[in-house]
Each structure stands twice: as structure tokens, then as C-alpha cells.
Amino acid sequence: MYKIAVLPGDGIGAEVTAQAVRVLEAVGRRFNREFTFTEGLVGGAAYDAAGTPLPKDTLELCLASDAILFGAAGGPKWDSLPAHLRPEAGGILSLRKELGLFANLRPVMVFSSLENASTLKPEVVAGVDLLIVRELTGGLYFGKKFREKLPDGGVRAVDTLEYTANEIDRIVRVAFDLARKRKGKVTSVDKANVLESSRLWREVASAVGRDYPDVGLDHMYVDNCAMQLVKNPGQFDVLVTENMFGDILSDQASVLSGSLGMLASASLGGRTALYEPAHGSAPDIAGRQLANPIASILSAAMLLRFSLDMGKEAGCIEKAITDVLNLGYRTADLMEQGKTAVNTVEMADLIIERMLG
Ligand code: IPM
Ligand code: MG
């Protein structure tokens, strides 16, 4: 019996997570596995109910579970709260930090039926299969930050970007270990022509690379990487980078797969691993069953593979998604002429049907 903590959070988080849970239940039926799902409050929803975006109960639930399925955090309703009470900093970022989840894996795969769904030319995106390894508990997100009033009546805001060599070493090793099981190529992304933290990043990445003579390593500036991702994404296997660089590059890379609604993620390295779609709470479409649940469902597949050693079960989910897309079903974010539009629940129904059928 496996214990899954389910933290739907805000906006479309609740809608998509509900469908990922249904898919896991289908895995249970098909493969005779037993899961228990326990819901916890997080983000704005938790602030409204309990006055804090990360209640102690939620953290305890996470620590007592085998894996965490997370939805999304944030929304305009909570945008004017002080930083530590906001769903983002106080909710998901604190959760990542508290659990020690320093390694965020964001696979960008292009399903062949979606080669035309991208705004980029099909020949550019065809066959793309890359993995962004984003450092998740350090860097610009977690450096010292403050505001101060200036003597002239003005105001100054400060964010800082800090890394220790150890923090860099451990995330780069994750990238190399994964590359070894893939195409054997790591691209370390930095801004070493300007930033001191990036110069250290580059040194450490090169040193780690010497422990992996079988894996190729190159270094790329983040601005160039942003360009290469849309110009020739097929060149990449595993990218490893600083927290904020990874945040930005992963949204950009999601367009290769057709939509941010296709981008799953796994956050590893801590006490209990967390799985979440890379998209946010999308308040503009929340509550209307318009969201694409596939990023959340693919995150559930990653949960099975990484936390529960259920590769076959994960593969069954991925195959069902491939089939449903091949049959031409699309949520609004992926809709093209000649395809069949479905909503959040219908997309999950179709996936489950294929899994059990
Ligand atoms: C992501 C999201 C979060 C992040 C936000 C919601 C804080 O954009 O997971 O990429 O910036 O990490
Ligand atoms: Mg992001």
C-alpha cells in the first residue's frame, strides 16, 4: 500500500490534480496496486482556510507519505499579501525547501501527433526529447532579499544569487547520472561571462564532468541557450541550470511540446519526492474544466517511475496519452483544425479508457 499526499492548491491545480488521481486509481485497478490518497491544503487555499500557505499538518502529511502530487499555487486574490504569506514563496517554495527537493526534472518530449501544435515549425520540434534539470532550492529564488527606504525618499529592492560549490556539485551530478541513462550529453547553462556564481557553477560542472568520462559536457550561456532552444532544440539531451534560469527556460521549452499544459515535473533529492505540472494556477481559465490535465497526469507517471519503481505502470499511462493524442483529441491549449475538442475531465476519461480497455 502506497501513501500519496495530494495537494491540489489553487486555480486549475484542483481540476488537473483530480484527474491525475483518477488515473492513478485506474493504475491501481489495472495492475492490482493499492494507493491511499490524502488531501492537504497548500497555497492560497491554505491561507484562506488556515491563515498560512503551508500549514504544519500539510508538511507532516508530506513527510509521512511515499510521494506528493502537487497542483499549482497562486492567484490574483493573494498577490498583495506579504511575501512569506503568498502562495508561491510561502507555499510551494517553502515546501520545496522544507523537503530538501533540490533537483527538479522537467522532461520536454514532443509527441509525434503534436508536431504541428507548436508555434515552431514541425521540422524543428520533431523528435525533440530533452530534460531540463533545474536547481530548485538555491540561487536567485532563495538568496537574501529585502527592500529599504533611501534617504532621498526613494526605495531600493535587492535580490541575491548565491551558490555553494556543494549545491552546484549535487545538482550537476543528478544531471550526469540521468544523461548516462539517456543520450549521454550534458549542457550546463550559466552566465559565466557576467556572474560570479556562474563562474563557480562552470568550474564545478567541469570538475564533476571529469568523474563522468563517458558523458559529454558542454557549457552554454543562458541567453544563447534561450535562442538555441527555439533554433535547434534537437541538439540537447540534458540541460542543468540555476533555479531561475531553469524556471524561464522550462516555460520556453514547453512550447516545443505544443503547450505548457504538457510539461510534467519531478522534484527529487529530499525526504519525500514531489510531482507537479510545470504550469501555474492559470486563474484566467480556472474552474471551467478547460485546463489540459496531461502535465499533471504525466507527473503522476513520473511519480510511479521515480518514487514507486513502477516503470511498467508509468509506461501504460504514457502509452494511453500517446494513443488519445493520436486519435485526435485535444484540450483547448492544443486545439487545431480537424481535431476533436475535449475538456479536462473528458481528456482524463479517454486516457483511463485506453488504460483499462
Ligand atoms: C514553476 C512555477 C513556480 C516557480 C512559481 C509558481 C513559484 O513557475 O514551478 O515553474 O517559479 O518555481
Ligand atoms: Mg515556472
Side-chain angles (χ1 to χ4, degrees):
M1 173 128 103
Y2 297 99
K3 285 193 260 178
I4 317 281
V6 180
L7 315 184
D10 306 320
I12 61 167
E15 289 154 67
V16 297
T17 307
Q19 301 316 316
V21 168
R22 288 181 60 218
V23 167
L24 288 174
E25 285 168 346
V27 166
R29 285 201 294 284
R30 160 93 196 260
F31 295 92
N32 207 11
R33 301 289 199 175
E34 215 177 317
F35 304 109
T36 60
F37 300 96
T38 311
E39 278 208 17
L41 285 165
V42 74
Y47 176 79
D48 288 348
T52 162
L54 182 57
K56 231 172 118 239
D57 291 357
T58 299
L59 197 56
E60 275 160 19
L61 168 67
C62 290
L63 290 170
S65 300
D66 294 303
I68 306 158
L69 190 62
F70 185 92
K77 186 174 174 197
W78 306 283
D79 277 351
S80 50
L81 289 172
H84 70 285
L85 292 177
R86 285 186 61 138
E88 297 89 349
I92 182 61
L93 297 193
S94 297
L95 189 56
R96 291 169 180 166
K97 191 75 172 176
E98 288 285 337
L99 295 172
L101 303 170
F102 68 88
N104 184 227
L105 279 41
R106 299 187 163 185
V108 180
M109 287 169 290
V110 177
F111 288 85
S112 58
S113 56
L114 294 182
E115 282 167 11
N116 287 302
S118 175
T119 50
L120 298 173
K121 293 194 183 99
E123 62 267 29
V124 173
V125 303
V128 163
D129 176 10
L130 62 87
L131 174 67
I132 297 180
V133 177
R134 169 186 175 194
E135 200 292 325
L136 203 60
T137 51
L140 196 51
Y141 272 48
F142 289 94
K144 287 180 216 70
K145 50 186 91 232
F146 59 90
R147 254 183 212 222
E148 63 186 12
K149 289 218 168 70
L150 297 172
D152 67 0
V155 62
R156 189 164 81 106
V158 176
D159 289 284
T160 51
L161 200 176
E162 289 177 39
Y163 272 115
T164 64
N166 283 340
E167 287 173 307
I168 301 168
D169 183 281
R170 65 182 182 177
I171 188 73
V172 172
R173 276 181 204 279
V174 169
F176 272 97
D177 286 335
L178 290 161
R180 217 170 226 175
K181 293 183 231 147
R182 297 172 46 100
K183 289 173 270 175
K185 184 177 169 195
V186 170
T187 304
S188 173
V189 180
D190 62 40
K191 187 71 185 174
N193 49 348
V194 177
L195 301 177
E196 198 53 42
S197 56
S198 282
R199 285 190 275 273
L200 180 61
W201 185 286
R202 202 172 266 227
E203 272 168 49
V204 174
S206 299
V208 172
R210 288 192 277 278
D211 290 345
Y212 295 81
D214 51 320
V215 178
L217 166 67
D218 42 49
H219 303 277
M220 193 179 275
Y221 295 139
V222 64
D223 48 350
N224 183 27
C225 181
M227 178 179 72
Q228 296 297 334
L229 269 175
V230 288
K231 191 178 170 197
N232 176 19
Q235 71 186 283
F236 295 115
D237 179 19
V238 177
L239 295 132
V240 61
T241 194
E242 190 267 339
N243 200 341
M244 172 126 144
F245 294 163
D247 178 48
I248 297 171
L249 294 177
S250 59
D251 266 38
Q252 183 179 341
S254 76
V255 174
L256 305 167
S257 65
S259 161
L260 186 51
M262 296 297 294
L263 197 63
S265 90
S267 302
L268 314 175
R271 307 261 302 270
T272 312
L274 181 147
Y275 300 84
E276 60 170 316
H279 62 68
S281 57
D284 53 323
I285 58 162
R288 292 155 60 199
Q289 299 295 343
L290 284 175
N292 184 352
I294 293 180
S296 183
I297 294 171
L298 284 172
S299 301
M302 291 183 89
L303 180 157
L304 295 174
R305 184 171 282 124
F306 286 101
S307 284
L308 308 184
D309 200 20
M310 294 189 194
K312 188 165 49 110
E313 289 81 345
C316 168
I317 296 176
E318 289 154 354
K319 168 84 170 51
I321 292 172
T322 307
D323 290 349
V324 169
L325 293 171
N326 284 344
L327 289 167
Y329 295 103
R330 301 284 186 272
T331 42
D333 53 325
L334 292 170
M335 195 53 197
E336 299 167 68
Q337 205 163 27
K339 304 295 178 196
T340 311
V342 293
N343 70 19
T344 312
V345 179
E346 290 162 343
M347 178 54 90
D349 286 345
L350 288 158
I351 293 166
I352 291 167
E353 219 171 86
R354 305 290 304 180
M355 288 170 58
L356 299 177

